Amino acid sequence: DSMLLAGGGVYSDNGTIANCIISGNWGTQQDGAGVRNNSGIYRNCLIMGNYTTASSVWNGGAVYNSGTMENCTIVGNYGPTYVPANPGDSTHWYSVYNSGTLRNCIVVNNSPGFGNSGSKCTYSCTAPLVSGTGNIMQDPQFVDPGSGYGSSFAAGDYRLMAYSPCINAGTNVTSWMSTGKDLAGNARIINSTVDMGAYEYTAAAPTPIAAPANVVATDGTYGDKVRVTWSAVADATGYVVYRGSDSSNVDFSASVA
């Protein structure tokens, strides 16, 4: 769907939108061209691949929330970089922006990122990290993270893998969770504490194994590669390696048996 202004997919002033996939919507303006939530409630929603065609954006080009979003997964949304008119002006640009309540959500892999104002973003996995109780910035370990952003977005599988840091990392703060269902129709709370994101991990929480010791990165013998070594970990069936220019820009690199 499309819209000349905000909310090409959904524009909400009140009411509740639950257990929905909102994908591939766009608009020509900023401030929530794909999804604009002014004062409504979104629960257990997957919001992905929405975008704006505006030449520059301010405060959530693809997704803007000033209402409430709980247990939503928000990925692959796009808004072009805001270019200030005068040198030294604020580069206040984000594809996803929250000025309301964001709780138990996963907001990652959006371009150019996530912005937040106020103190009501809590118990969420975001990139970059924003201040707030229970917030983390880690790889959520989706079954398949998908690829791209906006109009070039290819959807993945946004259920959580066994060692995701988002499992049991939310907060059971609202009553609907006790009888609610996640986006796949499973119980919203398993293992006593709700997960972050739209999907609840349904198996028993695994027992974590130790982190690798003696991790060393050297130039090795290659002119265009870095060699990474570590000591084997007991009970590990494999290793997943990530790379990035900094802690807020980390991409999957390789799976090592």
Side-chain angles (χ1 to χ4, degrees):
D1 292 325
S2 65
M3 182 69 176
L4 291 179
L5 298 174
V10 182
Y11 187 105
S12 52
D13 280 325
N14 48 52
T16 299
I17 296 173
N19 297 73
C20 291
I21 296 175
I22 305 169
S23 176
N25 304 289
W26 62 276
T28 62
Q29 300 297 318
Q30 55 193 1
D31 291 353
V35 176
R36 174 68 181 245
N37 180 29
N38 290 330
S39 55
I41 299 173
Y42 288 59
R43 290 175 178 156
N44 302 320
C45 290
L46 175 58
I47 302 171
M48 60 181 183
N50 301 285
Y51 62 99
T52 178
T53 59
S55 60
S56 62
V57 300
W58 184 276
N59 286 358
V63 179
Y64 182 94
N65 175 55
S66 58
T68 297
M69 288 186 172
E70 294 181 303
N71 288 97
C72 292
T73 297
I74 304 172
V75 296
N77 300 286
Y78 172 78
T81 300
Y82 169 71
V83 179
N86 301 303
D89 286 356
S90 173
T91 55
H92 196 187
W93 47 266
Y94 311 99
S95 58
V96 180
Y97 190 80
N98 173 62
S99 63
T101 296
L102 197 81
R103 181 188 302 120
N104 298 342
C105 291
I106 300 175
V107 188
V108 298
N109 302 339
N110 300 285
S111 177
F114 170 62
N116 178 73
S117 64
S119 58
K120 294 184 179 180
C121 176
T122 58
Y123 295 94
S124 293
C125 177
T126 68
L129 179 68
V130 299
S131 61
T133 303
N135 291 337
I136 61 174
M137 184 183 69
Q138 298 184 47
D139 175 11
Q141 297 187 30
F142 295 130
V143 171
D144 177 359
S147 63
Y149 311 97
S151 61
S152 62
F153 175 71
D157 182 340
Y158 299 101
R159 294 172 298 162
L160 303 175
M161 293 196 294
Y163 290 100
S164 169
C166 299
I167 295 173
N168 298 334
T171 178
N172 305 346
V173 70
T174 50
S175 59
W176 68 268
M177 295 178 184
S178 61
T179 57
K181 303 294 185 181
D182 73 355
L183 186 55
N186 300 306
R188 185 62 269 193
I189 297 178
I190 298 175
N191 300 319
S192 74
T193 304
V194 70
D195 299 344
M196 295 175 178
Y199 297 97
E200 194 79 4
Y201 182 74
T202 57
T207 301
I209 59 176
N214 303 314
V215 179
V216 177
T218 69
D219 291 337
T221 58
Y222 305 98
D224 60 347
K225 298 178 179 68
V226 175
R227 181 180 181 185
V228 181
T229 60
W230 58 85
S231 299
V233 177
D235 299 322
T237 59
Y239 305 88
V240 179
V241 181
Y242 295 85
R243 65 185 175 192
S245 58
D246 56 59
S247 60
S248 65
N249 182 25
V250 180
D251 298 315
F252 173 74
S253 177
S255 180
V256 182

